[in-house]
Amino acid sequence: MEGVLTPEIWIAVAEKTGIPELRRTTRDEPDYDKLMRGRLTLLEKHQLKLSGIQSVIGSLKPLDGARGFLDELRSLTQVLILSDTFEQFAVPLIRQLNWPTLLCHKLVVENDRIVDYKLRIADQKRKTVAALKQLNYNVISAGDSYNDTGMLLEANTGFLIHAPDNVKKEFPQFKAVENHRDLLKLIKAAIA
């Protein structure tokens, strides 16, 4: 979701709060647990609460073209968004995208403090794609970060969109595009 359809939530929070270390994302750090443990430490250190983060998220808009891309894609096929975001973060953005199906994780919150996070299951993106393939679905996936590469490798067809150079360089087997229009063309060709 983030970086593909919506802005990166943690980068927006970093900019709003002036905590530059929160700019680090799965584009920079392939170890998701290490990334999240670092974020939790920063939230505690700066006394940043869930409500403050949700306020920032409420001001965000989907990336240009994302809503139209999803609307057209859903007219052609079923769409499932697999994300490492959290239920407590996603609603304002998912609402603006006309409520696509989203599978993501949950935060553990106590008195407005984010104290931990719970994965649905480890490696949920890849495992979800594998499960869909077991049901005889032809899975086409797209992503932008290290945490998407397992899903892309597992899918019948995988694409990169808005990916940084380091990810494109490490995974040259995936066609890479920079906008939703070009991604839609690739997906239409893969569906045909």
Side-chain angles (χ1 to χ4, degrees):
M1 180 179 94
E2 294 176 67
V4 174
L5 300 170
T6 69
E8 292 279 356
I9 289 170
W10 290 102
I11 291 175
V13 171
E15 290 172 359
K16 183 72 170 179
T17 61
I19 305 170
E21 298 91 344
L22 285 176
R23 291 186 60 83
R24 194 161 174 75
T25 70
T26 55
R27 292 169 157 231
D28 310 301
E29 175 57 63
D31 184 331
Y32 188 73
D33 187 63
K34 179 179 178 183
L35 179 66
M36 278 306 299
R37 295 287 161 217
R39 288 170 173 167
L40 293 172
T41 299
L42 287 167
L43 297 182
E44 183 64 29
K45 175 182 174 185
H46 294 278
Q47 297 296 298
L48 188 54
K49 308 280 191 217
L50 174 61
S51 57
I53 294 171
Q54 288 173 323
S55 176
V56 173
I57 296 166
S59 71
L60 299 178
K61 302 272 184 255
L63 297 178
D64 287 342
R67 169 78 185 260
F69 164 77
L70 274 182
D71 288 346
E72 186 168 350
L73 188 57
R74 286 189 292 195
S75 76
L76 303 170
T77 189
Q78 295 296 308
V79 176
L80 181 61
I81 298 173
L82 306 176
S83 179
D84 284 324
T85 193
F86 302 97
E87 291 177 354
Q88 296 94 329
F89 286 1
V91 169
L93 292 164
I94 290 298
R95 180 183 303 116
Q96 293 177 71
L97 292 169
N98 198 23
W99 298 104
T101 301
L102 169 69
L103 301 181
C104 63
H105 307 299
K106 286 185 85 162
L107 294 168
V108 178
V109 180
E110 295 175 0
N111 299 319
D112 201 28
R113 288 178 47 248
I114 302 171
V115 296
D116 204 354
Y117 71 99
K118 294 229 183 253
L119 298 179
R120 287 280 160 216
I121 58 171
D123 198 15
Q124 71 127 356
K125 292 179 182 184
R126 187 191 61 75
K127 288 179 179 175
T128 300
V129 169
L132 290 168
K133 286 172 63 182
Q134 283 288 314
L135 293 168
N136 293 318
Y137 284 101
N138 177 36
V139 180
I140 302 166
S141 62
D144 72 326
S145 298
Y146 284 114
N147 67 328
D148 296 320
T149 56
M151 167 185 73
L152 298 178
L153 289 164
E154 182 68 39
N156 298 95
T157 308
F159 302 114
L160 290 169
I161 178 171
H162 306 139
D165 289 339
N166 56 317
V167 174
K168 287 190 273 192
K169 184 177 178 182
E170 287 185 50
F171 296 91
Q173 66 268 48
F174 302 122
K175 289 183 182 175
V177 296
E178 297 304 321
N179 61 64
H180 295 105
R181 182 186 65 251
D182 290 343
L183 179 59
L184 191 60
K185 286 178 187 174
L186 290 174
I187 293 171
K188 284 179 176 180
I191 292 172

